[in-house]
Amino acid sequence: MILANKKVCKFGGTSMADADSIKDVEDIVKSDPTRVFIVVSAPGKRFKDDEKITDLLYKAYDTKSDCKAFSAVFGKIKARYDEIIKDLGVALDLKDIYAEIEREIKASDAPYYSASRGEYLSALILAKYLNFNFLDTKEIIKFDGEKNFDSEKTNVLAAKALSKLENAVIPGFYGSDEKNRIVTFSRGGSDVTGSIIARAANACVYENWTDVDGFLTADPRIVKNPRLIDVLSYKELRELSYMGASVLHHEAIFPVKKAGIPINVKNTFDKTKVGTFIRPAAQIEHGDRVITGIAGKKGYSVINIEKSLLNNEIGFVRKVLSVLEKYNISFEHMPTGIDTLSIVLADSEFKIPSQKLLQEISNAVTPDIIGVSTGLSLIAVVGHGMAHKTGTATKIFTALSDENVNIKMIDQGSSELNIIVAVDTVDYEKAINAIYKSFIGRE
Ligand code: ADP
Ligand code: ASP
Ligand code: MG
């Protein structure tokens, strides 16, 4: 049977965590015959202090030369899958596969292979349980020698493989390079795999099944019961997920965006809810919505550079950036004033000590004053509605000053899609709640 309206479904770590949640997955897949291509994550946490299989697999790689430590970690991984197999009642014996994985981890010289086995084993089990085909992403998702994802080669290979299958369970998170060695995306990357498969299958929708009702207006771990976003644009999604809304990986939009396929984020544990749709901006009625959502990330610093008549000095910014380039440092934002330039960096980008970096910048541009503020968090307020509404920035600043939160940096993208502020990390949660209450919160 050839279906015109195929759906691609990605189930995340909580959906694959144990046999009970996998039975929910089965219900969802079997209730709709168009749900034919199923992308899965590795088992995630079953309770608050539980361990994710992917974290255990990174640990297994790190302990590979310490026999006792490795056996303890690898034992936990095997026990977790064995319990799922037993509770589901599937006839699958993974003994030989475990032995091969153990051998390969010990022979590997990077953590990619080890990390990828969580999704691989999840997909093997679900394929058997649903009686679906198993399609290994090693054969269809391609990276180059520098471990950069090759989208077009992948699309050709994946489209060809999918066209031959009526259905398939497909492991998320990894692919392989030109020498067929496993490469993974960054953490949370099964969302990207789902999007790649949706594009290659020319799906009518990419359903991303997770453990919340959809994309929420703020992180539910920070704001109590945040309102659901019923629809948002690809661009808004990109801004929010890049800035910390971890429900979807920030690179997950690119493949579906190319094909104009909507994403529908849905709750595995409450499948009756409609969830959130992510579509091209042109298809969305914004109404009087000013902001769509709020997101944020901790762990930033700002280098502040001051020099009189800086704006007249041709090449000033280039010289500063060439110091960053020399050390392979990427920056997040660079707001400027007439005599000032600020560079916002994630703390992980300080690949040399900050004093050395400041010295090198000083040597390059001889500023009057240079310094660094640390311990900052960034908060992004995102929405297409901002472009048509005056006073959004003022409203943010008032909300923050009413709560005595000091703003350390402000940056507004030229698209008027977002306003980003930096605050001291101690004020992070308070600041997000204040902005939420001011724009979205129900009285
Ligand atoms: P999965 O394992 O299904 O991929 P993730 O843990 O990666 O799930 O993402 C879902 C989690 O993202 C939610 O449980 C929630 O805590 C967190 N989250 C952060 N920001 C948001 C947001 N704006 N909307 C919804 N969830 C969010
Ligand atoms: N299992 C991987 C992780 O924990 C990928 C994913 O879940 O999307 O990051
Ligand atoms: Mg995820």
Side-chain angles (χ1 to χ4, degrees):
M1 179 178 48
I2 295 176
L3 290 169
N5 54 344
K6 286 181 229 124
K7 290 180 183 159
V8 168
C9 304
K10 177 257 172 179
F11 291 93
T14 31
S15 311
M16 295 302 294
D18 60 18
D20 281 345
S21 59
I22 294 175
K23 286 178 188 165
D24 287 326
V25 170
E26 179 194 21
D27 274 355
I28 291 165
V29 174
K30 294 278 163 80
S31 68
D32 180 345
T34 64
R35 291 185 173 130
V36 286
F37 297 130
I38 314 300
V39 175
V40 291
S41 284
K45 292 186 181 191
R46 294 158 293 181
F47 43 87
K48 188 166 167 280
D49 294 321
D50 197 13
E51 290 171 292
K52 284 181 165 195
I53 285 289
T54 309
D55 292 334
L56 289 171
L57 285 161
Y58 279 114
K59 222 186 251 175
Y61 175 79
D62 289 340
T63 56
K64 72 192 176 91
S65 38
D66 175 344
C67 241
K68 214 170 141 203
F70 178 86
S71 296
V73 179
F74 203 64
K76 281 191 198 174
I77 296 167
K78 288 192 290 193
R80 186 84 185 268
Y81 284 107
D82 287 343
E83 189 181 326
I84 292 175
I85 289 172
K86 181 172 142 280
D87 292 350
L88 288 176
V90 285
L92 198 60
D93 181 359
L94 294 179
K95 226 176 272 129
D96 292 345
I97 294 179
Y98 290 148
E100 184 194 331
I101 293 176
E102 184 170 344
R103 249 191 339 267
E104 292 287 326
I105 293 177
K106 289 187 171 160
S108 59
D109 56 5
Y112 300 109
Y113 171 81
S114 188
S116 74
R117 294 304 88 183
E119 274 65 15
Y120 175 77
L121 292 171
S122 262
L124 275 187
I125 295 170
L126 187 66
K128 183 88 183 167
Y129 184 59
L130 295 178
N131 199 18
F132 271 31
N133 298 296
F134 169 80
L135 175 62
D136 195 348
T137 25
K138 182 182 180 190
E139 313 303 333
I140 54 173
I141 294 195
K142 285 290 171 188
F143 292 80
D144 67 16
E146 258 77 60
K147 303 192 169 32
N148 297 311
F149 170 55
D150 186 337
S151 67
E152 296 319 302
K153 192 165 172 185
T154 295
N155 194 46
V156 172
L157 287 171
K160 192 165 164 213
L162 293 168
S163 70
K164 294 182 191 150
L165 296 172
E166 253 183 35
N167 61 36
V169 177
I170 302 160
F173 192 36
Y174 70 91
S176 65
D177 66 12
E178 76 268 89
K179 291 191 177 141
N180 247 10
R181 291 171 305 204
I182 296 285
V183 179
T184 59
F185 292 107
S186 56
R187 296 299 303 262
S190 299
D191 291 331
V192 184
T193 311
S195 182
I196 292 166
I197 298 299
R199 177 187 174 203
N202 198 17
C204 60
V205 64
Y206 166 27
E207 291 182 342
N208 189 288
W209 291 85
T210 184
D211 61 352
V212 282
D213 286 345
F215 212 108
L216 304 168
T217 42
D219 188 334
R221 294 162 297 187
I222 297 176
V223 172
K224 206 168 156 228
N225 293 326
R227 202 180 280 182
L228 182 84
I229 307 173
D230 55 353
V231 61
L232 71 159
S233 72
Y234 294 134
K235 275 191 179 157
E236 288 172 322
L237 167 72
R238 166 94 175 130
E239 296 280 344
L240 286 166
S241 56
Y242 182 78
M243 285 304 297
S246 51
V247 58
L248 272 180
H249 191 287
H250 58 91
E251 288 169 15
I253 62 152
F254 294 116
V256 283
K257 191 176 167 201
K258 277 197 178 129
I261 297 166
I263 307 175
N264 184 197
V265 181
K266 284 174 78 73
N267 192 346
T268 299
F269 307 102
D270 193 352
K271 46 187 178 292
T272 56
K273 296 257 170 71
V274 178
T276 299
F277 277 92
I278 298 143
R279 302 179 183 282
Q283 293 175 12
I284 298 176
E285 278 289 334
H286 294 289
D288 54 6
R289 177 167 91 183
V290 180
I291 74 162
T292 303
I294 306 159
K297 289 199 280 196
K298 295 179 178 175
Y300 286 90
S301 296
V302 181
I303 297 175
N304 295 301
I305 305 168
E306 232 182 282
K307 187 174 186 184
S308 300
L309 300 174
L310 173 159
N311 58 331
N312 288 345
E313 198 173 316
I314 305 291
F316 187 93
V317 175
R318 179 185 50 76
K319 286 179 205 158
V320 173
L321 294 185
S322 63
V323 176
L324 300 188
E325 192 179 348
K326 176 172 162 196
Y327 293 105
N328 200 20
I329 293 173
S330 75
F331 70 92
E332 206 81 7
H333 299 279
M334 196 175 53
T336 54
I338 27 176
D339 296 328
T340 60
L341 172 73
S342 300
I343 303 167
V344 183
L345 300 172
D347 291 342
S348 54
E349 290 296 318
F350 280 90
K351 290 163 187 161
I352 57 167
S354 60
Q355 284 317 313
K356 183 166 181 338
L357 184 59
L358 296 193
Q359 189 55 55
E360 293 237 5
I361 296 174
S362 296
N363 295 345
V365 293
T366 57
D368 300 334
I369 304 173
I370 183 165
V372 59
S373 313
T374 56
L376 300 178
S377 292
L378 298 183
I379 298 173
V381 182
V382 175
H384 286 291
M386 270 184 220
H388 316 289
K389 183 96 181 162
T390 53
T392 310
T394 315
K395 200 166 164 184
I396 296 172
F397 305 151
T398 308
L400 294 178
S401 84
D402 285 352
E403 291 289 333
N404 285 324
V405 174
N406 199 358
I407 300 174
K408 296 295 179 97
M409 189 269 323
I410 301 158
D411 195 15
Q412 175 163 31
S414 52
S415 61
E416 284 196 69
L417 182 63
N418 66 21
I419 294 176
I420 292 173
V421 293
V423 299
D424 281 324
T425 294
V426 287
D427 290 330
Y428 177 67
E429 274 87 7
K430 187 161 82 169
I432 290 193
N433 274 290
I435 299 170
Y436 180 86
K437 199 165 141 224
S438 173
F439 284 91
I440 303 164
R442 279 176 269 223
E443 295 308 319

